[in-house]
Amino acid sequence: MRTQGLTIGLVATLIAAGGCNNQAGDNRTAAQTPEARKAAGSKTIAAGLTQDTRFMAAAKAAGLDQTLAGPNPYTVLVPDDAAFAKAPEGMLDTKPENRAQLTGVLTNLILPGVVLAADIDKAIERGKGKAVFATMGGGTLTATKEGGKIVFTDAKGNKATVTRADDNYSNGAVHHVDAVLMPADDAEVPPAKAG
């Protein structure tokens, strides 16, 4: 029961924080530009992502699929299925008893507001080579450029490269990445599997 309460609290925090985009720093935009809205059409992030991926299975198990179908603008870093396979054993298990941990990992992959690749590039330039972005899970991710590509680093030093950027939806944007970025408070997480 305690785990369920924690999960509901995290989801409520995610939804409430999404409405606070006007307090955002200069590393994100509070809403989509008219051009982005037109390009996005009417599909939400939840409806636009391929439904049979491990990310969507995890989002559904954590109850975040409904959040990603909602109106608040979000930017989601979506790891590919190969990245999920390399995650620590059990970390992304979709069993009900793992819901709180799964929610913590997934909200670490969600940024409030719409943050396009051009916004990330500008923030990195302003930050003289790096930019720190707050996540909906309460952590931070640091963006840098390596070989001309955007790379996000989590609090533990794990890196994820953006493999495809700027999939626009009616309620935000998606950047596809090649690794799962973990929250800082995962001290009991077992080591990642060899790739």
Side-chain angles (χ1 to χ4, degrees):
M1 200 57 135
R2 183 175 169 207
T3 302
Q4 185 179 16
L6 177 61
T7 301
I8 292 168
L10 284 170
V11 172
T13 300
L14 176 66
I15 292 167
C20 299
N21 288 327
N22 291 337
Q23 298 172 1
D26 63 0
N27 65 348
R28 59 184 177 218
T29 55
Q32 289 178 309
T33 64
E35 296 81 17
R37 270 194 299 273
K38 184 177 178 184
S42 61
K43 275 191 179 179
T44 64
I45 293 169
L49 290 174
T50 305
Q51 298 300 302
D52 63 352
T53 62
R54 292 184 74 179
F55 177 84
M56 281 307 295
K60 288 174 185 173
L64 293 174
D65 57 324
Q66 294 303 310
T67 300
L68 297 178
N72 286 325
Y74 302 105
T75 299
V76 185
L77 306 176
V78 177
D80 57 31
D81 283 352
F84 269 75
K86 293 177 187 174
E89 188 79 33
M91 171 55 64
L92 301 171
D93 193 330
T94 57
K95 293 179 184 172
E97 59 269 20
N98 193 45
R99 188 172 182 177
Q101 180 172 277
L102 187 59
T103 300
V105 172
L106 295 181
T107 56
N108 194 57
L109 298 169
I110 302 173
L111 310 176
V114 178
V115 187
L116 300 176
D119 301 322
I120 298 167
D121 286 341
K122 287 176 190 171
I124 292 170
E125 188 177 309
R126 281 192 309 270
K128 297 184 181 1
K130 71 178 183 176
V132 177
F133 291 88
T135 71
M136 296 302 290
T140 59
L141 298 174
T142 301
T144 57
K145 295 287 280 231
E146 293 181 16
K149 295 185 177 191
I150 296 169
V151 175
F152 284 97
T153 304
D154 65 22
K156 295 204 168 254
N158 301 308
K159 292 184 176 188
T161 302
V162 175
T163 57
R164 187 173 85 218
D166 295 346
D167 285 352
N168 291 307
Y169 296 99
S170 63
N171 63 342
V174 168
H175 304 303
H176 296 270
V177 294
D178 63 359
V180 179
L181 297 164
M182 298 295 175
D185 60 355
D186 61 349
E188 298 179 26
V189 174
K193 293 185 261 183

